[in-house]
Amino acid sequence: MRVTSIPFERRHALPHAFTHFHAYSHRSWIMSPHSEQSAVTVIGLGPMGRALAAAFLAAGVRTTVWNRTSGRDGELVEQGAVSAATAEEAVAASPLTVVCVVNYDASDAVLRRDTVTAALRGRTVVNLSADTPGRSRDTANWAAAHGVRYLDGAIMTPTPTIGTPHGVFLHSGDAALYEEHRPVLEKLGGTHTHLGEDIGRAAAYDIALLDFFWTSMTGLMHGLAVAKAEGVTAQELAPFAKGISAILPAIIDGTAVDVDKGSYPGDGNPITSAASTMAHVVHASEAHGIDAGVMRAAEGLVRRVIDEGHGTDGAARLVELLSRR
């Protein structure tokens, strides 16, 4: 997920000569009290990748780093990281490589180079880059075909949470392989949940939760825009917006039960009532010249449910409508 633009707590390599790298690496072996199994390589040094590497270092894990664009590893090297000159050297330095780049196009561009793939044979990759479940499964198939041990994962919290108890990590893939590397992965802090053997499961959770997060955030921004147009400041509205968020846990739990049962009771809040309030939002927004496209789309879905004769059902009926193929 790696949402870094919204701070949840307040609410997703410099080159060295080959010989220098190996000399540095050799010294690290001599000086480090850690075994090979407590070594990790981090590929990708954007904000999240740097946070991951820093957390490993702070936990005493021997950490090698590499990034396609040079110049991002300076602070990490000062903290004790080993800077690899090439991706091949980086992955060969550790039994475990953690990848955190923008998407699987970027990770493929690194991992699927012949020299890097050869260096990875027999080693483990944990890919924490964000992408779709289909891409996760494709990468797992590639890894299996090339003798690379592979786990997929997702980071559900922003960079300030990494290395703290507040980080949330999801993992999927071979359970025994996860257990083998769990002691090192848990050095990142927070909670780590293995979701099952299906390699795409972590990405599936990630996509679903990103959907919920960003549609919710879009609703918040739209609501703040409407309030502003009516002379209500964002800070004036904020306490009441938090009141809305406070009732969501119970709504989420009840909705989940209804969806899994395939029962959509609308007692006390039928979907016809939702359609009426959505129409009010659309009209008030457009009266101020505010784009109401998102709410119009939501209202359109609700009216389709009503037109199909389910007006007395609850909003959970939308899941059935959206799940049709």
Side-chain angles (χ1 to χ4, degrees):
M1 186 175 186
R2 294 189 290 290
V3 182
T4 57
S5 59
I6 310 274
F8 283 25
E9 292 302 299
R10 297 190 294 273
R11 46 185 147 109
H12 77 68
L14 290 172
H16 297 281
F18 181 84
T19 54
H20 175 73
F21 167 78
H22 280 283
Y24 195 140
S25 178
H26 180 67
R27 288 197 300 273
S28 298
W29 271 103
I30 295 172
M31 298 169 61
S32 173
H34 306 291
S35 69
E36 172 72 358
Q37 289 305 312
S38 66
V40 67
T41 289
V42 176
I43 298 290
L45 297 178
M48 185 58 77
R50 292 197 299 273
L52 296 172
F56 282 130
L57 288 166
V61 179
R62 186 167 64 82
T63 305
T64 299
V65 295
W66 182 84
N67 190 66
R68 288 188 300 175
T69 303
S70 64
R72 292 185 175 179
D73 64 351
E75 290 185 6
L76 295 170
V77 170
E78 290 178 1
Q79 296 168 38
V82 176
S83 177
T86 66
E88 298 93 304
E89 291 176 12
V91 301
S94 312
L96 172 65
T97 291
V98 173
V99 181
C100 185
V101 290
V102 65
N103 55 33
Y104 276 47
D105 287 340
S107 64
D108 285 353
V110 176
L111 302 179
R112 299 198 189 197
R113 285 167 36 205
D114 291 343
T115 52
V116 178
T117 301
L120 280 170
R121 185 175 296 276
R123 302 176 188 272
T124 300
V125 170
V126 175
N127 200 339
L128 297 180
S129 308
D131 215 305
T132 66
R135 295 298 297 272
S136 299
R137 295 183 180 108
D138 176 73
T139 302
N141 290 336
W142 164 84
H146 291 85
V148 179
R149 308 165 85 206
Y150 186 77
L151 293 168
D152 205 75
I155 307 170
M156 307 310 300
T157 48
T159 54
T161 68
I162 307 305
T164 79
H166 306 293
V168 177
F169 299 84
L170 304 179
H171 305 277
S172 55
D174 182 80
L177 184 60
Y178 169 72
E179 287 299 322
E180 177 183 333
H181 293 288
R182 183 165 60 90
V184 173
L185 293 171
E186 287 185 343
K187 299 296 185 183
L188 294 171
T191 59
H192 293 256
T193 304
H194 183 255
L195 299 170
E197 298 271 338
D198 176 3
I199 198 71
R201 200 164 172 84
Y205 273 64
D206 190 34
I207 288 292
L209 293 170
L210 280 170
D211 187 343
F212 176 49
F213 177 78
W214 284 118
T215 52
S216 299
M217 289 303 298
T218 301
L220 173 61
M221 302 310 166
H222 194 274
L224 293 176
V226 173
K228 181 179 180 181
E230 289 289 346
V232 179
T233 71
Q235 292 181 69
E236 288 174 328
L237 190 68
F240 299 92
K242 287 191 285 187
I244 294 291
S245 67
I247 68 174
L248 286 178
I251 292 175
I252 291 170
D253 287 342
T255 300
V257 170
D258 291 342
V259 169
D260 286 345
K261 285 183 175 179
S263 173
Y264 311 106
D267 302 343
N269 192 24
I271 205 164
T272 49
S273 177
S276 177
T277 57
M278 287 176 172
H280 298 158
V281 173
V282 169
H283 296 155
S285 301
E286 293 181 346
H288 288 290
I290 296 171
D291 189 330
V294 173
M295 186 58 75
R296 277 194 175 277
E299 183 190 2
L301 292 171
V302 166
R303 296 206 179 276
R304 283 173 59 188
V305 168
I306 295 170
D307 290 345
E308 291 179 2
H310 302 295
T312 59
D313 285 356
R317 170 66 70 171
L318 285 169
V319 175
E320 184 176 291
L321 176 71
L322 291 166
S323 297
R324 293 176 188 164
R325 297 181 181 180

